[in-house]
Amino acid sequence: MLLGRTTLSKFLIEQLRGTEDQADLAALLVDVTAAVKTIASMTAKGALGGYLGSLDSENVQGETQKKLDVLSNDAVIQSCEWGGLVAGMASEELDEPYRLPRAFERGAYLLVFDPLDGSSNIDVNVSVGTIFSVLRFGRVGEPTTADFLRPGAEQVAAGYAIYGPSTMMVLTVGKGTHGFTLDREIGNFILTHPDLKIPEDTSEFAINASNERFWEPPVQRYVAECKAGRTGDRGRDFNMRWIASMVADVHRILMRGGVFMYPKDTKEPAKPGRLRLLYEANPIAFVIEQAGGVASTGRARILALQPEALHQRVPVMLGARNEIERLERYHRAYDSGTDKPFASPLFRDRSLYSAEGRA
Ligand code: AHG
Ligand code: MN
Ligand code: MN
């Protein structure tokens, strides 16, 4: 049936009608979808379009850039800079915020994005994505880095595109989380997954288990209990998945439930996590919360964090409410020393502070 379908633009106009963001935010998100269609076309052509492989360049985080990282970054900038809707943009692939050319009118929003998430998967033809976050600028003039450092709770819209067997956009403007599928023949995103909800319980978790020895004890405890399954404290078996594209792992959780973790680890002690707050953790946390899930560092709500730097990293654990709350309990027990076998060394038996230690 081609008639009577709800396109993404119609859906956004209806959701935003009567709000202070009504015209411009919908128009900006439509510009983002134009970039997404370009990126979808490039990822689908793959080797035939000459799009695979790496460049000689590195981004500000010292990661080798793939050709598609840079092309996707250019696609988002070119789609969104001209329309008088944004005042500035910031991206994983740019050291500093992007300054709009003088010729273009300045708008009311700041756009922050990860143009291609999971780029280690490009050359092996596994799903990748684009993540975006929209903030209000709230003043006139040229945005500086400080203007982008706003808690995720202030986002007015956020979402991601996933380039999988089909291309989908999943987004929120603070009124639930909704999914749209690209109809390639017509070129429109069609509402196919309205009002997504993440079940409160799950038996599926996602984590890069090769980092296990670098995790903190509360995460080691949680994963050990999941792996012990029916024979352990949890009393039921768990399943594990890891795609190494956050977008794809998160999409699975929105479709069928689960928990995703990229916790703090000691592999690179200078980095307090792998994922970036402004263009990975915050937009995904907004989408997850609007679908009834929880997004946490293990110790704090992600959307409440005050960012300190554009490319700041944070620990991320998100998904099924009861599982994330359990992880937060394990962190509290560890931090307070009440979790005996897993507690901080300072509080363990025979340590300075324990009864046995003082005896
Ligand atoms: P990006 O490609 O934008 O740098 O992000 C990759 C991130 C995230 O998508 C994924 O969950 C994680 O890195 C994968 O990390 P590992 O390589 O440690 O599995
Ligand atoms: Mn990413
Ligand atoms: Mn990326």
Side-chain angles (χ1 to χ4, degrees):
M1 260 304 274
L2 290 179
L3 296 180
R5 306 190 300 180
T6 303
T7 62
L8 186 137
S9 19
K10 180 179 174 211
F11 182 85
L12 287 172
I13 289 165
E14 283 173 354
Q15 276 222 320
L16 292 166
R17 185 172 286 139
T19 70
E20 71 174 286
D21 292 298
Q22 65 176 12
D24 286 359
L25 184 55
L28 173 56
L29 294 172
V30 168
D31 285 350
V32 172
T33 65
V36 162
K37 288 179 206 172
T38 304
I39 301 168
S41 165
M42 292 192 288
T43 53
K45 285 204 174 76
L48 295 177
Y51 295 123
L52 305 189
S54 298
L55 299 168
D56 290 334
S57 54
E58 284 188 350
N59 66 15
V60 66
Q61 322 182 38
E63 298 163 339
T64 303
Q65 290 178 306
K66 299 276 183 183
K67 278 187 205 168
L68 267 179
D69 283 323
V70 173
L71 291 167
S72 305
N73 187 62
D74 293 349
V76 177
I77 287 177
Q78 285 177 24
S79 291
C80 300
E81 67 179 348
W82 61 276
L85 301 167
V86 296
M89 294 184 254
S91 160
E92 177 190 343
E93 303 304 335
L94 302 172
D95 305 7
E96 301 291 336
Y98 176 75
R99 210 184 164 116
L100 265 53
R102 270 166 195 247
F104 297 136
E105 212 178 296
R106 269 56 178 162
Y109 298 103
L110 300 173
L111 179 69
V112 190
F113 58 97
D114 175 355
L116 207 70
D117 175 65
S119 42
S120 73
N121 280 326
I122 294 169
D123 295 347
V124 292
N125 200 14
V126 169
S127 296
V128 290
T130 298
I131 311 175
F132 61 92
S133 158
V134 184
L135 294 158
R136 285 201 193 94
F137 180 36
R139 66 178 188 87
V140 287
E142 287 298 327
T144 63
T145 297
D147 289 303
F148 288 86
L149 304 183
R150 308 258 282 279
E154 292 184 22
Q155 293 171 105
V156 289
Y160 64 81
I162 177 166
Y163 312 107
S166 58
T167 292
M168 287 187 69
M169 292 267 293
V170 172
L171 55 79
T172 182
V173 294
K175 296 179 179 180
T177 292
H178 310 280
F180 305 79
T181 305
L182 179 61
D183 182 334
R184 285 178 197 268
E185 275 173 39
I186 296 179
N188 275 339
F189 277 97
I190 306 296
L191 179 66
T192 47
H193 296 71
D195 214 11
L196 291 163
K197 288 288 170 231
I198 300 171
E200 290 188 347
D201 292 297
T202 184
S203 295
E204 195 161 80
F205 67 101
I207 194 163
N208 181 345
S210 69
N211 293 328
E212 182 158 9
R213 69 187 188 282
F214 303 111
W215 299 334
E216 288 191 286
V219 176
Q220 287 174 335
R221 171 184 176 184
Y222 177 82
V223 172
E225 288 177 358
C226 290
K227 288 199 298 187
R230 210 178 308 182
T231 61
D233 287 356
R234 301 302 304 269
R236 66 177 199 275
D237 289 338
F238 280 75
N239 188 25
M240 202 197 85
R241 288 283 183 275
W242 186 250
I243 301 175
S245 290
M246 186 200 204
V247 156
D249 281 308
V250 163
H251 191 68
R252 186 188 57 255
I253 288 169
L254 278 161
M255 294 297 121
R256 70 172 191 212
V259 163
F260 170 92
M261 290 163 280
Y262 213 117
K264 179 175 158 180
D265 62 46
T266 56
K267 201 170 170 183
E268 292 177 78
K271 294 180 183 169
R274 164 89 171 85
L275 298 170
R276 280 61 54 104
L277 176 58
L278 287 185
Y279 42 81
E280 291 177 319
N282 271 345
I284 297 293
F286 193 15
V287 163
I288 291 288
E289 283 198 4
Q290 286 291 317
V294 180
S296 172
T297 64
R299 296 183 167 92
R301 179 184 176 220
I302 286 176
L303 292 182
L305 299 177
Q306 174 59 53
E308 282 159 10
L310 207 53
H311 300 284
Q312 174 181 347
R313 296 173 193 261
V314 282
V316 172
M317 30 206 91
L318 53 81
R321 173 171 300 280
N322 291 335
E323 295 298 309
I324 302 301
E325 287 177 358
R326 174 182 288 268
L327 270 158
E328 290 178 330
R329 277 201 308 279
Y330 289 5
H331 281 80
R332 278 197 300 276
Y334 171 69
D335 291 347
S336 66
T338 54
D339 181 5
K340 277 280 178 72
F342 294 94
S344 155
L346 277 181
F347 293 97
R348 264 191 222 142
D349 292 351
R350 286 185 298 283
S351 83
L352 204 54
Y353 299 96
S354 67
E356 292 93 317
R358 284 195 300 272

